[in-house]
Amino acid sequence: MLTRRIGGVEVSAIGLGAMPMSLEGRPDRARSIATIRAAVDKGVTLIDTADAYSADHSDFGHNEELIAEALKGVDGVLVATKGGHTRTPGGGWALDGRPEYLKAACDASLRRLGVDAIDLYQFHRPDPAVPTAESVGALAELLEAGKIKLAGVSNFDPAQIREADEILGGRLASVQNQFSPAFRSSEPELELCAELDIAFLPWSPLGGIGSAGRLGERFAVFAEVGRAHGVSPQQVCLAWMLAKAPQVVPIPGSSRPESIADSADAVHLRLSDEELKRLDG
């Protein structure tokens, strides 16, 4: 397994996005645990979760509890979680970036994950009702308190990334933004992370739930390059992202052992400069 670094910590160059295992329509618990363990067996040492990954407000924290169960007795896996999103009745989503909420959410995540300190804690999404500086300031306090080992942000624009890194005293470890063949508008954030040597974690790198399996149909060039190498369009997509910068660590979502095993093999695919240009186009 090729490795990269998040805040100085070595992790697999491909992570596992665990969100699909907890939303409405999720697989049964046995298959989800098998998926997580299959990822570990393939050398994946980064698993991304969040307290809000659940079917609705009634099972808030479902994904964190699932991961804690699957990783019992397993060492060497960096678990990244997030706080700042909430769930509402009926399966809706809301935001709460207040410092007091984030600190309480962190404490709850610590309990669900069963750890003394969270490996990587990320502010899930800016809350328009709360100054970004106040929300990120809570991350700084959690770092100082030893409750989190690394701090990150998600869904931030370049100006917010720079502000967050300044508030954290240059300790911003990661930025988790959407990036895929269908969503390339976060290239500026990716480039800024490469400039500042901050890990960039693309979420939904294959297009998201319901679309990942059709990536080759939607973007024929990924299927064409895949056929030339005898691999899936999804592997081509992840290898294309890895080639963009050493700071990129894709976290494809998965709910089947077979899909995360295929994604993990993307680290072995080497694309030519000509192929990368075609994919960029």
Side-chain angles (χ1 to χ4, degrees):
M1 172 58 70
L2 181 71
T3 60
R4 297 206 160 170
R5 304 187 77 80
I6 300 177
V9 178
E10 192 173 86
V11 299
S12 55
I14 299 290
L16 168 64
M19 181 179 181
M21 301 180 220
S22 290
L23 299 187
E24 186 176 357
R26 63 199 179 203
D28 62 49
R29 203 167 188 86
R31 194 178 94 184
S32 293
I33 289 174
T35 299
I36 295 167
R37 291 178 178 167
V40 173
D41 288 344
K42 289 292 290 187
V44 172
T45 59
L46 169 64
I47 297 179
D48 177 76
T49 181
D51 56 8
Y53 292 166
S54 57
D56 56 35
H57 71 294
S58 65
D59 67 345
F60 195 78
H62 176 275
N63 202 249
E64 291 179 326
E65 293 171 352
L66 176 71
I67 287 169
E69 179 181 349
L71 292 181
K72 282 181 180 176
V74 176
D75 296 321
V77 175
L78 186 153
V79 175
T81 192
K82 297 179 287 294
H85 246 319
T86 60
R87 302 304 305 273
T88 58
W93 298 75
L95 299 171
D96 195 335
R98 294 173 299 142
E100 58 269 29
Y101 174 80
L102 292 174
K103 293 174 187 176
C106 178
D107 286 340
S109 291
L110 284 164
R111 290 192 296 271
R112 284 189 289 264
L113 292 170
V115 296
D116 295 324
I118 292 170
D119 295 328
L120 171 60
Y121 193 69
Q122 301 171 107
F123 178 37
H124 206 147
R125 186 179 290 272
D127 181 351
V130 181
T132 302
E134 292 184 14
S135 301
V136 177
L139 297 185
E141 292 183 34
L142 290 170
L143 276 173
E144 296 302 327
K147 293 186 175 183
I148 66 176
K149 298 176 183 178
L150 298 169
V153 296
S154 184
N155 303 299
F156 269 42
D157 65 29
Q160 291 168 327
I161 292 170
R162 289 187 183 277
E163 180 183 14
D165 194 40
E166 183 177 349
I167 291 168
L168 290 167
R171 295 177 294 174
L172 182 63
S174 66
V175 173
Q176 183 173 323
N177 278 21
Q178 185 176 9
F179 183 68
S180 71
F183 190 94
R184 304 193 186 190
S185 60
S186 52
E187 284 269 12
E189 289 85 354
L190 189 161
E191 292 169 1
L192 177 59
C193 286
E195 174 191 332
L196 300 178
D197 196 21
I198 295 169
F200 183 82
L201 315 181
W203 61 263
S204 289
L206 303 178
I209 299 172
S211 297
R214 296 184 292 107
L215 188 146
E217 300 170 27
R218 301 175 67 202
F219 302 95
V221 65
F222 287 86
E224 292 165 7
V225 173
R227 284 193 292 270
H229 288 272
V231 301
S232 68
Q234 291 79 10
Q235 277 193 39
V236 173
C237 178
L238 296 172
W240 166 68
M241 290 187 182
L242 290 172
K244 286 194 167 291
Q247 290 76 18
V248 176
V249 186
I251 46 173
S254 180
S255 61
R256 297 185 304 116
E258 298 84 0
S259 57
I260 188 56
D262 183 75
S263 291
D265 283 340
V267 300
H268 305 302
L269 178 59
R270 296 293 177 268
L271 301 172
S272 69
D273 290 343
E274 187 272 335
E275 287 172 327
L276 291 171
K277 288 180 183 177
R278 288 174 60 200
L279 295 168
D280 280 334

